[in-house]
Amino acid sequence: MANLDDKNNYKLRLKEIESLILKAKNVFRDLEVSEKKIGKKYNFTTNSMLRGNFFGNLIRSNKVNLVNSNIDRCQQALLDFHSDLLLFDEFLADKLILPSKMSEFSQANDKFSDIAIRTNMRLKEFDLRKAKRSLEIIIRRLEGEKKKVLYEISKLEELNSYEKNKEKGKITK
């Protein structure tokens, strides 16, 4: 008769995988929301009156701080998920990519510094996209692992039903 401990171990493994998939999807949604927020931040218009003065620099500094706070939130969610994933599979956890924050804003004196700030914001949006792609890969691998575990459970159930059948192996006419 098939070992019930094997079936229980597979069920525990299945629960662990499902909880990791759920956490990964939550982190993925957080990354999408932050990506949209950052996308709205670099679409600002500037004119020469707001360049190089205190008010313009304050606006740019606030936008950089908002971008960094969104990235910080994503980094924290990714690190929490990474710690859970390390307990499950360390090689899979190595696939996770963390986005980096922007450097602190100092001052914009000309059009080129405005362009540099917007470009850096776009690059941080691309960092979030790379993190999302790595998370998609992890989700696909976890779903593949889930299918393997479900297959093993179904094999054990089939073996149990075969062993319980009293007429197994008999030829009937």
Side-chain angles (χ1 to χ4, degrees):
M1 187 157 188
N3 193 354
L4 289 176
D5 289 335
D6 289 340
K7 188 174 181 181
N8 288 336
N9 288 340
Y10 282 127
K11 286 188 177 183
L12 288 174
R13 179 99 170 151
L14 183 64
K15 277 187 176 181
E16 184 181 13
I17 291 170
E18 287 175 343
S19 71
L20 282 173
I21 289 173
L22 184 64
K23 287 177 186 177
K25 288 182 178 180
N26 287 337
V27 171
F28 187 81
R29 280 191 294 273
D30 290 344
L31 288 173
E32 282 183 331
V33 168
S34 292
E35 183 183 358
K36 288 178 185 176
K37 285 182 180 179
I38 289 174
K40 292 178 184 176
K41 296 298 174 210
Y42 67 76
N43 290 332
F44 63 92
T45 58
T46 59
N47 57 22
S48 59
M49 292 181 3
L50 293 177
R51 208 174 286 125
N53 62 18
F54 177 75
F55 185 66
N57 288 337
L58 183 66
I59 291 172
R60 288 176 192 83
S61 177
N62 284 339
K63 289 189 180 291
V64 168
N65 288 337
L66 288 172
V67 168
N68 281 340
S69 68
N70 282 321
I71 291 175
D72 187 39
R73 192 175 312 116
C74 291
Q75 281 180 342
Q76 189 60 44
L78 284 168
L79 287 173
D80 290 341
F81 177 67
H82 185 263
S83 65
D84 293 338
L85 195 59
L86 271 174
L87 295 174
F88 179 74
D89 184 7
E90 65 184 52
F91 297 113
L92 191 58
D94 288 340
K95 303 256 184 245
L96 199 60
I97 296 175
L98 284 175
S100 60
K101 291 184 184 181
M102 288 182 68
S103 60
E104 288 296 320
F105 175 75
S106 60
Q107 183 173 329
N109 293 326
D110 55 1
K111 287 183 182 181
F112 297 115
S113 59
D114 279 339
I115 292 170
I117 292 169
R118 284 190 238 160
T119 303
N120 286 337
M121 287 182 188
R122 286 186 185 110
L123 289 175
K124 296 310 161 190
E125 186 180 14
F126 291 135
D127 279 352
L128 286 177
R129 286 185 188 157
K130 284 194 298 189
K132 276 175 42 180
R133 281 191 297 253
S134 71
L135 202 57
E136 285 174 342
I137 291 169
I138 290 171
I139 289 171
R140 274 190 257 129
R141 294 225 176 132
L142 286 172
E143 287 174 347
E145 189 69 26
K146 179 182 172 182
K147 287 179 184 178
K148 288 178 189 176
V149 170
L150 286 172
Y151 177 71
E152 291 296 325
I153 290 173
S154 67
K155 278 187 355 184
L156 284 174
E157 288 174 353
E158 185 178 345
L159 180 62
N160 281 338
S161 68
Y162 176 74
E163 288 176 348
K164 287 180 182 178
N165 188 0
K166 296 191 187 273
E167 296 185 14
K168 61 182 174 190
K170 289 186 179 179
I171 300 174
T172 58
K173 291 186 181 184

